Amino acid sequence: MAAVKILFVLLLFGLFAFAGPEKLDPMLRAILFSSPESQAAILSLYGQETVAEPKITVFVELSGEEVPSGVHPLAGNVAVATLTFPQILELAAEPGVVRLWASRLLEPLLDRSVPEVGAPALWYGSANTIGDGVIVGLVDTGVDILHPAFRLDLDGDGTLESSRILFYWDQTAAGVGWFPNFWGDESGERLYGRVYFQRDLEAALQGNYSPVPDTHGHGTHVAGIAAGSGPVLRGVAPGADLVVVKTNFYEDGVVDGIRFVFEAAGALGKPAVVNISLGGHAGPHDGQGPFEQAVSGLVVGPGQVIVAAAGNEGNAKIHVGEEVTGPTTWAVRVAASSVIARFWYELPAKFQVFVTTPAGETILVPPGAARDFFSSSGTGRVDNTIYPQSSTQQIFFFLSGAAQGSTWRITLYPIVPGRVDGWLESSSMGQFLEGDGERTIAEPGNAERVITVGAYVTKVEWDSQAGHFRAEGYALGQLAPFSSRGPTRDGRLKPDLSAPGAWIASARSREAQVSPWYALPDGVHMVLAGTSMAAPHVAGACALLLSRHPSLTWEEILSALRAGAVVDSF
């Protein structure tokens, strides 16, 4: 057998116990302390590789109620701040700071489906409602304000001159905007983007233009399912008012968006349900990461509900996991220029990590160490730091510059055996050759106070602008093959329930590019599939229930939804 080539690695600061301050999560340590090559590659994920003095937004876990200067409270003991590298280190030195985590990017995840969930029974029943008096919040790619599904003719002249959207926050707009008083932020440090009031949107309607176009189309489609109005293809709660957040898709921006909706609803004295049809896999998948803690912590009273899509990785091999009692190898097949994988476990387990490149070079990283590596097949970093203040640990693997289709092997040698679960941060980065779709609930769907929704199939064919189309690989009434599976990493049942998610006809944004096979002949609706489409069915159902009983808690609503749900072999 040929001798194994040993790759010499750059070991920062010698053989040290911690890769930089132990309070920093591995992503932050990589940003601050890795080699220039890895640092540039990671900063490119934040769009800051060419910035002279980069700033990174971080979640801050606090030990008490005292909030350091420059830090913005979010929910519970989780706060947020956008800081330069020196400021991050200064904040880490504060005694009241438990840990800092880099905010990560998330991804965007009706005709037959609306009757399927029973909405008409509440529209036309003896105690009927269409969602009046309730706020439906959308944190997504935006909404096409010109679409008739989100407009009203209040004066009866035949013109849809009024907007159903009360507030529209564009987080992606440059500069700092002016916010309504309900934002409640006196420091102004988190005021970014621009907020449009209903009157601003109605002025835009008069000019037949949208100041905040939804060029992706995802948010418009989701909003149409939850609350679209009009004579055809109505959403589940067509009488609800809307608060829209066009998010920047960073975790902290999503948390800010949810908070914005709840505070707007509170100022108006109305209950609210927020739909989150997006997610990611950067956290521990147990509800205890700072992102999911913050999301869950925003639900503080009756009349507040968050609904999240379960994710679309049920048939993607982004997860591996087992009891590691002997040498265990998982192989990553690369599909993108940058790959991030995280492997989570609980103390007292400890592991040595070996990475084997496609050329057979190896990198050894013992517990308590972090190393950059340079090989003929790519560069990157492995962080095997132990954080003793928490039982939950992670092994961080970052790869840049690897050839698409190449295979990298990660081997764990147990010093103390234990269960390990690993996830690729995105299915677009590649797959584990030994992977599966189990435990693939996207964050924030693992959060405790979030209603998480999987998808099942209610439509497999339709007439499109390109002709009749049939989606292969889908069976009516069955769980959608893409729908992410549970449980959570800590063993809780998720998703909480499933709703129609394939294939769903809803509002089409006029600014979005759509395949003619998915565009319906009327030109204003399109067909999509995903748990992104399932979640707003449930959000609309929550709005109908809140319209009848505004003081319901999220737990009472979940119990009611489960009590009325069909139970079958899935």
Side-chain angles (χ1 to χ4, degrees):
M1 180 180 297
V4 177
K5 294 180 287 183
I6 302 296
L7 176 67
F8 289 101
V9 298
L10 173 65
L11 186 54
L12 296 177
F13 308 116
L15 288 172
F16 52 89
F18 294 102
E22 64 180 57
K23 292 182 181 180
L24 306 185
D25 84 308
M27 192 71 162
L28 284 176
R29 286 197 293 269
I31 291 171
L32 269 67
F33 301 123
S34 64
S35 67
E37 293 84 354
S38 292
Q39 187 181 68
I42 294 175
L43 285 175
S44 70
L45 301 177
Y46 291 86
Q48 298 209 46
E49 68 274 26
T50 60
V51 177
E53 190 176 33
K55 288 187 175 182
I56 301 296
T57 299
V58 298
F59 286 112
V60 186
E61 289 188 67
L62 302 170
S63 60
E65 296 182 358
E66 185 175 349
V67 180
S69 175
V71 174
H72 176 87
L74 284 179
N77 68 334
V78 180
V80 68
T82 301
L83 305 170
T84 63
F85 293 178
Q87 289 171 332
I88 290 173
L89 294 174
E90 289 174 9
L91 184 59
E94 292 278 347
V97 172
V98 177
R99 204 166 188 192
L100 302 179
W101 303 72
S103 177
R104 293 295 294 124
L105 271 172
L106 304 170
E107 297 178 319
L109 302 180
L110 283 159
D111 45 355
R112 297 182 187 176
S113 63
V114 169
E116 174 79 12
V117 300
L122 279 174
W123 294 351
Y124 307 120
S126 57
N128 65 305
T129 178
I130 56 174
D132 306 80
V134 178
I135 298 293
V136 171
L138 289 308
V139 182
D140 213 295
T141 65
V143 169
D144 178 5
I145 70 166
L146 299 175
H147 197 286
F150 314 113
R151 300 169 65 170
L152 291 173
D153 176 14
L154 293 181
D155 57 14
D157 65 353
T159 301
L160 299 173
E161 79 287 343
S162 183
S163 177
R164 296 176 55 215
I165 303 172
L166 304 183
F167 300 100
Y168 193 144
W169 179 16
D170 179 11
Q171 293 182 341
T172 69
V176 174
W178 180 73
F179 282 70
N181 290 332
F182 60 72
W183 180 251
D185 188 328
E186 297 179 358
S187 71
E189 293 176 10
R190 291 293 292 171
L191 303 190
Y192 53 97
R194 179 175 177 182
V195 170
Y196 296 86
F197 291 76
Q198 186 180 37
R199 62 178 179 268
D200 302 320
L201 303 177
E202 290 176 345
L205 294 181
Q206 295 296 318
N208 195 38
Y209 78 98
S210 174
V212 195
D214 177 18
T215 56
H216 191 287
H218 185 271
T220 298
H221 195 270
V222 167
I225 297 169
S229 60
V232 296
L233 294 179
R234 289 205 292 176
V236 179
D241 292 317
L242 300 175
V243 173
V244 176
V245 178
K246 181 175 181 177
T247 183
N248 57 19
F249 279 92
Y250 280 97
E251 291 170 333
D252 61 291
V254 171
V255 175
D256 281 341
I258 298 170
R259 178 181 169 217
F260 180 84
V261 175
F262 282 156
E263 292 191 354
L268 297 171
K270 295 183 177 184
V273 53
V274 184
N275 186 85
I276 307 294
S277 284
L278 45 80
H281 294 279
H285 292 75
D286 60 1
Q288 297 306 306
F291 174 45
E292 290 190 318
Q293 280 194 58
V295 170
S296 195
L298 291 172
V299 181
V300 296
Q304 294 182 327
V305 182
I306 299 173
V307 177
N312 297 333
E313 287 80 33
N315 55 359
K317 295 181 177 182
I318 68 162
H319 167 261
V320 289
E322 61 183 272
E323 291 287 337
V324 177
T325 57
T328 302
T329 298
W330 293 305
V332 177
R333 180 67 56 82
V334 173
S337 59
S338 293
V339 176
I340 296 174
R342 293 175 171 87
F343 302 87
W344 299 85
Y345 64 95
E346 303 294 318
L347 292 177
K350 290 183 181 180
F351 307 92
Q352 289 196 81
V353 181
F354 273 89
V355 174
T356 305
T357 75
E361 302 156 308
T362 63
I363 303 103
L364 166 63
V365 185
R371 291 177 174 174
D372 291 313
F373 61 84
F374 306 90
S375 78
S376 59
S377 305
T379 63
R381 181 177 176 86
V382 179
D383 192 326
N384 194 14
T385 298
I386 304 297
Y387 179 63
Q389 284 75 21
S390 171
S391 63
T392 301
Q393 307 295 320
Q394 67 167 301
I395 298 167
F396 176 84
F397 172 73
F398 173 73
L399 176 63
S400 179
Q404 186 171 351
S406 62
T407 299
W408 292 66
R409 288 176 168 78
I410 301 165
T411 302
L412 303 187
Y413 287 84
I415 298 172
V416 179
R419 179 173 177 95
V420 179
D421 285 279
W423 288 266
L424 289 168
E425 193 167 288
S426 169
S427 58
S428 64
M429 292 179 174
Q431 65 173 345
F432 290 109
L433 298 185
E434 307 83 5
D436 56 43
E438 302 301 311
R439 301 177 188 247
T440 52
I441 302 299
E443 297 191 330
N446 303 284
E448 179 185 358
R449 298 182 183 182
V450 167
I451 298 175
T452 307
V453 185
Y456 68 93
V457 182
T458 54
K459 187 205 297 277
V460 296
E461 55 186 314
W462 58 89
D463 291 323
S464 73
Q465 290 182 349
H468 190 74
F469 186 84
R470 180 178 178 85
E472 300 298 330
Y474 295 85
L476 289 174
Q478 293 190 3
L479 193 69
F482 55 75
S483 187
S484 284
R485 274 64 166 167
T488 63
R489 191 175 67 88
D490 57 327
R492 289 175 292 118
L493 178 64
K494 288 281 187 175
D496 296 294
L497 69 163
S498 293
W503 289 74
I504 309 301
S506 183
R508 171 186 174 181
S509 172
R510 68 188 61 203
E511 294 97 354
Q513 296 294 318
V514 181
S515 164
W517 292 107
Y518 300 137
L520 298 191
D522 66 3
V524 295
H525 295 90
M526 65 179 179
V527 173
L528 290 176
T531 57
S532 283
M533 285 62 253
H537 282 92
V538 174
C542 293
L544 295 180
L545 293 173
L546 287 171
S547 180
R548 291 273 296 273
H549 304 285
S551 62
L552 286 173
T553 66
W554 73 272
E555 294 165 301
E556 291 169 332
I557 285 180
L558 177 56
S559 295
L561 293 172
R562 281 177 166 164
V566 173
V567 179
D568 59 17
S569 61
F570 295 100

PDB file of all heavy atoms in Angstrom, residues 4-10 355-357 360-364 371-380 408:
ATOM      1  N   VAL A   4       0.720   7.040   2.833  1.00  0.00           N
ATOM      2  CA  VAL A   4      -0.202   8.174   2.827  1.00  0.00           C
ATOM      3  C   VAL A   4       0.598   9.461   2.896  1.00  0.00           C
ATOM      4  O   VAL A   4       1.465   9.618   3.757  1.00  0.00           O
ATOM      5  CB  VAL A   4      -1.190   8.089   4.009  1.00  0.00           C
ATOM      6  CG1 VAL A   4      -2.081   9.313   4.030  1.00  0.00           C
ATOM      7  CG2 VAL A   4      -2.023   6.822   3.915  1.00  0.00           C
ATOM      8  N   LYS A   5       0.321  10.347   1.979  1.00  0.00           N
ATOM      9  CA  LYS A   5       1.004  11.638   1.999  1.00  0.00           C
ATOM     10  C   LYS A   5       0.436  12.501   3.120  1.00  0.00           C
ATOM     11  O   LYS A   5      -0.762  12.583   3.319  1.00  0.00           O
ATOM     12  CB  LYS A   5       0.823  12.341   0.654  1.00  0.00           C
ATOM     13  CG  LYS A   5       1.510  11.641  -0.504  1.00  0.00           C
ATOM     14  CD  LYS A   5       1.280  12.386  -1.800  1.00  0.00           C
ATOM     15  CE  LYS A   5      -0.137  12.212  -2.288  1.00  0.00           C
ATOM     16  NZ  LYS A   5      -0.350  12.865  -3.587  1.00  0.00           N
ATOM     17  N   ILE A   6       1.304  13.128   3.868  1.00  0.00           N
ATOM     18  CA  ILE A   6       0.877  14.009   4.951  1.00  0.00           C
ATOM     19  C   ILE A   6       1.013  15.446   4.478  1.00  0.00           C
ATOM     20  O   ILE A   6       2.087  15.872   4.052  1.00  0.00           O
ATOM     21  CB  ILE A   6       1.707  13.803   6.222  1.00  0.00           C
ATOM     22  CG1 ILE A   6       1.607  12.343   6.681  1.00  0.00           C
ATOM     23  CG2 ILE A   6       1.261  14.739   7.319  1.00  0.00           C
ATOM     24  CD1 ILE A   6       0.214  11.919   7.079  1.00  0.00           C
ATOM     25  N   LEU A   7      -0.079  16.169   4.537  1.00  0.00           N
ATOM     26  CA  LEU A   7      -0.083  17.563   4.116  1.00  0.00           C
ATOM     27  C   LEU A   7       0.302  18.445   5.285  1.00  0.00           C
ATOM     28  O   LEU A   7      -0.285  18.376   6.359  1.00  0.00           O
ATOM     29  CB  LEU A   7      -1.484  17.957   3.631  1.00  0.00           C
ATOM     30  CG  LEU A   7      -1.687  19.412   3.236  1.00  0.00           C
ATOM     31  CD1 LEU A   7      -0.877  19.726   1.994  1.00  0.00           C
ATOM     32  CD2 LEU A   7      -3.154  19.709   3.001  1.00  0.00           C
ATOM     33  N   PHE A   8       1.334  19.270   5.086  1.00  0.00           N
ATOM     34  CA  PHE A   8       1.716  20.226   6.118  1.00  0.00           C
ATOM     35  C   PHE A   8       0.706  21.367   6.135  1.00  0.00           C
ATOM     36  O   PHE A   8       0.331  21.902   5.099  1.00  0.00           O
ATOM     37  CB  PHE A   8       3.115  20.763   5.847  1.00  0.00           C
ATOM     38  CG  PHE A   8       4.167  19.724   6.080  1.00  0.00           C
ATOM     39  CD1 PHE A   8       4.729  19.049   5.010  1.00  0.00           C
ATOM     40  CD2 PHE A   8       4.583  19.405   7.369  1.00  0.00           C
ATOM     41  CE1 PHE A   8       5.696  18.072   5.217  1.00  0.00           C
ATOM     42  CE2 PHE A   8       5.553  18.441   7.585  1.00  0.00           C
ATOM     43  CZ  PHE A   8       6.106  17.768   6.509  1.00  0.00           C
ATOM     44  N   VAL A   9       0.244  21.727   7.296  1.00  0.00           N
ATOM     45  CA  VAL A   9      -0.788  22.743   7.442  1.00  0.00           C
ATOM     46  C   VAL A   9      -0.245  23.926   8.219  1.00  0.00           C
ATOM     47  O   VAL A   9       0.718  23.806   8.984  1.00  0.00           O
ATOM     48  CB  VAL A   9      -2.027  22.178   8.182  1.00  0.00           C
ATOM     49  CG1 VAL A   9      -2.647  21.054   7.384  1.00  0.00           C
ATOM     50  CG2 VAL A   9      -1.648  21.715   9.572  1.00  0.00           C
ATOM     51  N   LEU A  10      -0.884  25.062   7.990  1.00  0.00           N
ATOM     52  CA  LEU A  10      -0.553  26.250   8.762  1.00  0.00           C
ATOM     53  C   LEU A  10      -1.290  26.172  10.082  1.00  0.00           C
ATOM     54  O   LEU A  10      -2.500  26.077  10.123  1.00  0.00           O
ATOM     55  CB  LEU A  10      -1.003  27.506   7.998  1.00  0.00           C
ATOM     56  CG  LEU A  10      -0.863  28.828   8.752  1.00  0.00           C
ATOM     57  CD1 LEU A  10       0.614  29.120   9.017  1.00  0.00           C
ATOM     58  CD2 LEU A  10      -1.489  29.958   7.974  1.00  0.00           C
ATOM     59  N   VAL A 355      -8.927  14.947   7.652  1.00  0.00           N
ATOM     60  CA  VAL A 355      -9.492  15.301   6.347  1.00  0.00           C
ATOM     61  C   VAL A 355      -8.566  14.747   5.272  1.00  0.00           C
ATOM     62  O   VAL A 355      -7.345  14.980   5.319  1.00  0.00           O
ATOM     63  CB  VAL A 355      -9.639  16.829   6.188  1.00  0.00           C
ATOM     64  CG1 VAL A 355     -10.095  17.170   4.771  1.00  0.00           C
ATOM     65  CG2 VAL A 355     -10.634  17.370   7.215  1.00  0.00           C
ATOM     66  N   THR A 356      -9.129  14.021   4.335  1.00  0.00           N
ATOM     67  CA  THR A 356      -8.351  13.454   3.235  1.00  0.00           C
ATOM     68  C   THR A 356      -8.769  14.127   1.935  1.00  0.00           C
ATOM     69  O   THR A 356      -9.954  14.133   1.584  1.00  0.00           O
ATOM     70  CB  THR A 356      -8.571  11.930   3.118  1.00  0.00           C
ATOM     71  OG1 THR A 356      -8.289  11.319   4.370  1.00  0.00           O
ATOM     72  CG2 THR A 356      -7.674  11.339   2.046  1.00  0.00           C
ATOM     73  N   THR A 357      -7.819  14.723   1.235  1.00  0.00           N
ATOM     74  CA  THR A 357      -8.098  15.434  -0.011  1.00  0.00           C
ATOM     75  C   THR A 357      -8.283  14.438  -1.149  1.00  0.00           C
ATOM     76  O   THR A 357      -7.929  13.256  -1.030  1.00  0.00           O
ATOM     77  CB  THR A 357      -6.954  16.398  -0.357  1.00  0.00           C
ATOM     78  OG1 THR A 357      -5.843  15.624  -0.843  1.00  0.00           O
ATOM     79  CG2 THR A 357      -6.514  17.208   0.852  1.00  0.00           C
ATOM     80  N   GLY A 360      -5.238  12.452  -1.842  1.00  0.00           N
ATOM     81  CA  GLY A 360      -4.714  11.556  -0.831  1.00  0.00           C
ATOM     82  C   GLY A 360      -3.940  12.227   0.270  1.00  0.00           C
ATOM     83  O   GLY A 360      -3.403  11.557   1.156  1.00  0.00           O
ATOM     84  N   GLU A 361      -3.828  13.555   0.252  1.00  0.00           N
ATOM     85  CA  GLU A 361      -3.172  14.283   1.340  1.00  0.00           C
ATOM     86  C   GLU A 361      -4.099  14.283   2.556  1.00  0.00           C
ATOM     87  O   GLU A 361      -5.327  14.241   2.419  1.00  0.00           O
ATOM     88  CB  GLU A 361      -2.875  15.711   0.896  1.00  0.00           C
ATOM     89  CG  GLU A 361      -2.005  15.788  -0.356  1.00  0.00           C
ATOM     90  CD  GLU A 361      -2.188  17.095  -1.111  1.00  0.00           C
ATOM     91  OE1 GLU A 361      -3.343  17.437  -1.408  1.00  0.00           O
ATOM     92  OE2 GLU A 361      -1.176  17.750  -1.396  1.00  0.00           O
ATOM     93  N   THR A 362      -3.530  14.349   3.745  1.00  0.00           N
ATOM     94  CA  THR A 362      -4.353  14.316   4.950  1.00  0.00           C
ATOM     95  C   THR A 362      -4.025  15.473   5.872  1.00  0.00           C
ATOM     96  O   THR A 362      -2.898  15.961   5.920  1.00  0.00           O
ATOM     97  CB  THR A 362      -4.170  13.001   5.731  1.00  0.00           C
ATOM     98  OG1 THR A 362      -2.817  12.908   6.178  1.00  0.00           O
ATOM     99  CG2 THR A 362      -4.531  11.810   4.872  1.00  0.00           C
ATOM    100  N   ILE A 363      -5.033  15.899   6.608  1.00  0.00           N
ATOM    101  CA  ILE A 363      -4.898  16.955   7.610  1.00  0.00           C
ATOM    102  C   ILE A 363      -5.410  16.395   8.927  1.00  0.00           C
ATOM    103  O   ILE A 363      -6.541  15.897   8.991  1.00  0.00           O
ATOM    104  CB  ILE A 363      -5.713  18.206   7.223  1.00  0.00           C
ATOM    105  CG1 ILE A 363      -5.295  18.731   5.849  1.00  0.00           C
ATOM    106  CG2 ILE A 363      -5.598  19.284   8.280  1.00  0.00           C
ATOM    107  CD1 ILE A 363      -6.279  18.382   4.751  1.00  0.00           C
ATOM    108  N   LEU A 364      -4.619  16.456   9.968  1.00  0.00           N
ATOM    109  CA  LEU A 364      -5.007  15.993  11.294  1.00  0.00           C
ATOM    110  C   LEU A 364      -5.270  17.200  12.182  1.00  0.00           C
ATOM    111  O   LEU A 364      -4.438  18.093  12.293  1.00  0.00           O
ATOM    112  CB  LEU A 364      -3.913  15.132  11.918  1.00  0.00           C
ATOM    113  CG  LEU A 364      -4.049  14.855  13.430  1.00  0.00           C
ATOM    114  CD1 LEU A 364      -5.307  14.060  13.726  1.00  0.00           C
ATOM    115  CD2 LEU A 364      -2.805  14.139  13.955  1.00  0.00           C
ATOM    116  N   ARG A 371      -7.015  24.472  12.321  1.00  0.00           N
ATOM    117  CA  ARG A 371      -5.915  24.557  11.373  1.00  0.00           C
ATOM    118  C   ARG A 371      -6.412  24.970  10.002  1.00  0.00           C
ATOM    119  O   ARG A 371      -7.442  24.496   9.526  1.00  0.00           O
ATOM    120  CB  ARG A 371      -5.195  23.206  11.277  1.00  0.00           C
ATOM    121  CG  ARG A 371      -4.436  22.841  12.531  1.00  0.00           C
ATOM    122  CD  ARG A 371      -3.790  21.479  12.440  1.00  0.00           C
ATOM    123  NE  ARG A 371      -2.954  21.239  13.615  1.00  0.00           N
ATOM    124  CZ  ARG A 371      -2.343  20.090  13.870  1.00  0.00           C
ATOM    125  NH1 ARG A 371      -2.469  19.076  13.052  1.00  0.00           N
ATOM    126  NH2 ARG A 371      -1.596  19.963  14.948  1.00  0.00           N
ATOM    127  N   ASP A 372      -5.640  25.839   9.374  1.00  0.00           N
ATOM    128  CA  ASP A 372      -5.803  26.115   7.951  1.00  0.00           C
ATOM    129  C   ASP A 372      -5.011  25.078   7.174  1.00  0.00           C
ATOM    130  O   ASP A 372      -3.996  24.576   7.659  1.00  0.00           O
ATOM    131  CB  ASP A 372      -5.282  27.511   7.602  1.00  0.00           C
ATOM    132  CG  ASP A 372      -6.144  28.611   8.186  1.00  0.00           C
ATOM    133  OD1 ASP A 372      -7.372  28.534   8.061  1.00  0.00           O
ATOM    134  OD2 ASP A 372      -5.571  29.520   8.796  1.00  0.00           O
ATOM    135  N   PHE A 373      -5.459  24.762   5.969  1.00  0.00           N
ATOM    136  CA  PHE A 373      -4.701  23.825   5.151  1.00  0.00           C
ATOM    137  C   PHE A 373      -4.609  24.322   3.718  1.00  0.00           C
ATOM    138  O   PHE A 373      -5.473  25.056   3.229  1.00  0.00           O
ATOM    139  CB  PHE A 373      -5.309  22.415   5.191  1.00  0.00           C
ATOM    140  CG  PHE A 373      -6.725  22.321   4.683  1.00  0.00           C
ATOM    141  CD1 PHE A 373      -7.005  22.192   3.331  1.00  0.00           C
ATOM    142  CD2 PHE A 373      -7.788  22.333   5.583  1.00  0.00           C
ATOM    143  CE1 PHE A 373      -8.302  22.087   2.875  1.00  0.00           C
ATOM    144  CE2 PHE A 373      -9.096  22.237   5.130  1.00  0.00           C
ATOM    145  CZ  PHE A 373      -9.361  22.115   3.770  1.00  0.00           C
ATOM    146  N   PHE A 374      -3.518  23.974   3.057  1.00  0.00           N
ATOM    147  CA  PHE A 374      -3.274  24.315   1.667  1.00  0.00           C
ATOM    148  C   PHE A 374      -2.899  23.026   0.948  1.00  0.00           C
ATOM    149  O   PHE A 374      -1.946  22.358   1.327  1.00  0.00           O
ATOM    150  CB  PHE A 374      -2.136  25.334   1.538  1.00  0.00           C
ATOM    151  CG  PHE A 374      -2.354  26.563   2.365  1.00  0.00           C
ATOM    152  CD1 PHE A 374      -1.895  26.625   3.679  1.00  0.00           C
ATOM    153  CD2 PHE A 374      -3.008  27.654   1.847  1.00  0.00           C
ATOM    154  CE1 PHE A 374      -2.085  27.751   4.451  1.00  0.00           C
ATOM    155  CE2 PHE A 374      -3.212  28.784   2.611  1.00  0.00           C
ATOM    156  CZ  PHE A 374      -2.750  28.843   3.918  1.00  0.00           C
ATOM    157  N   SER A 375      -3.637  22.667  -0.061  1.00  0.00           N
ATOM    158  CA  SER A 375      -3.362  21.424  -0.767  1.00  0.00           C
ATOM    159  C   SER A 375      -3.460  21.661  -2.261  1.00  0.00           C
ATOM    160  O   SER A 375      -3.919  22.711  -2.719  1.00  0.00           O
ATOM    161  CB  SER A 375      -4.353  20.332  -0.351  1.00  0.00           C
ATOM    162  OG  SER A 375      -5.600  20.516  -0.987  1.00  0.00           O
ATOM    163  N   SER A 376      -3.050  20.668  -3.018  1.00  0.00           N
ATOM    164  CA  SER A 376      -3.168  20.748  -4.470  1.00  0.00           C
ATOM    165  C   SER A 376      -4.619  20.689  -4.926  1.00  0.00           C
ATOM    166  O   SER A 376      -4.929  21.018  -6.067  1.00  0.00           O
ATOM    167  CB  SER A 376      -2.388  19.598  -5.118  1.00  0.00           C
ATOM    168  OG  SER A 376      -2.886  18.343  -4.676  1.00  0.00           O
ATOM    169  N   SER A 377      -5.537  20.301  -4.022  1.00  0.00           N
ATOM    170  CA  SER A 377      -6.947  20.133  -4.387  1.00  0.00           C
ATOM    171  C   SER A 377      -7.835  21.250  -3.881  1.00  0.00           C
ATOM    172  O   SER A 377      -9.024  21.299  -4.216  1.00  0.00           O
ATOM    173  CB  SER A 377      -7.467  18.801  -3.831  1.00  0.00           C
ATOM    174  OG  SER A 377      -6.673  17.720  -4.245  1.00  0.00           O
ATOM    175  N   GLY A 378      -7.295  22.143  -3.046  1.00  0.00           N
ATOM    176  CA  GLY A 378      -8.099  23.222  -2.498  1.00  0.00           C
ATOM    177  C   GLY A 378      -7.555  23.663  -1.158  1.00  0.00           C
ATOM    178  O   GLY A 378      -6.674  23.015  -0.576  1.00  0.00           O
ATOM    179  N   THR A 379      -8.062  24.770  -0.668  1.00  0.00           N
ATOM    180  CA  THR A 379      -7.637  25.308   0.622  1.00  0.00           C
ATOM    181  C   THR A 379      -8.831  25.397   1.552  1.00  0.00           C
ATOM    182  O   THR A 379      -9.984  25.374   1.119  1.00  0.00           O
ATOM    183  CB  THR A 379      -7.005  26.698   0.474  1.00  0.00           C
ATOM    184  OG1 THR A 379      -8.001  27.603  -0.029  1.00  0.00           O
ATOM    185  CG2 THR A 379      -5.834  26.665  -0.478  1.00  0.00           C
ATOM    186  N   GLY A 380      -8.561  25.509   2.845  1.00  0.00           N
ATOM    187  CA  GLY A 380      -9.678  25.619   3.769  1.00  0.00           C
ATOM    188  C   GLY A 380      -9.241  25.625   5.210  1.00  0.00           C
ATOM    189  O   GLY A 380      -8.110  25.978   5.542  1.00  0.00           O
ATOM    190  N   TRP A 408     -14.040  14.843  -0.947  1.00  0.00           N
ATOM    191  CA  TRP A 408     -13.224  15.044   0.248  1.00  0.00           C
ATOM    192  C   TRP A 408     -13.789  14.171   1.361  1.00  0.00           C
ATOM    193  O   TRP A 408     -15.010  14.094   1.547  1.00  0.00           O
ATOM    194  CB  TRP A 408     -13.249  16.511   0.679  1.00  0.00           C
ATOM    195  CG  TRP A 408     -12.560  17.427  -0.291  1.00  0.00           C
ATOM    196  CD1 TRP A 408     -12.937  17.719  -1.570  1.00  0.00           C
ATOM    197  CD2 TRP A 408     -11.363  18.153  -0.049  1.00  0.00           C
ATOM    198  NE1 TRP A 408     -12.056  18.584  -2.145  1.00  0.00           N
ATOM    199  CE2 TRP A 408     -11.067  18.880  -1.233  1.00  0.00           C
ATOM    200  CE3 TRP A 408     -10.503  18.286   1.036  1.00  0.00           C
ATOM    201  CZ2 TRP A 408      -9.962  19.704  -1.356  1.00  0.00           C
ATOM    202  CZ3 TRP A 408      -9.400  19.109   0.934  1.00  0.00           C
ATOM    203  CH2 TRP A 408      -9.134  19.810  -0.257  1.00  0.00           C
TER     204      TRP A 408
END
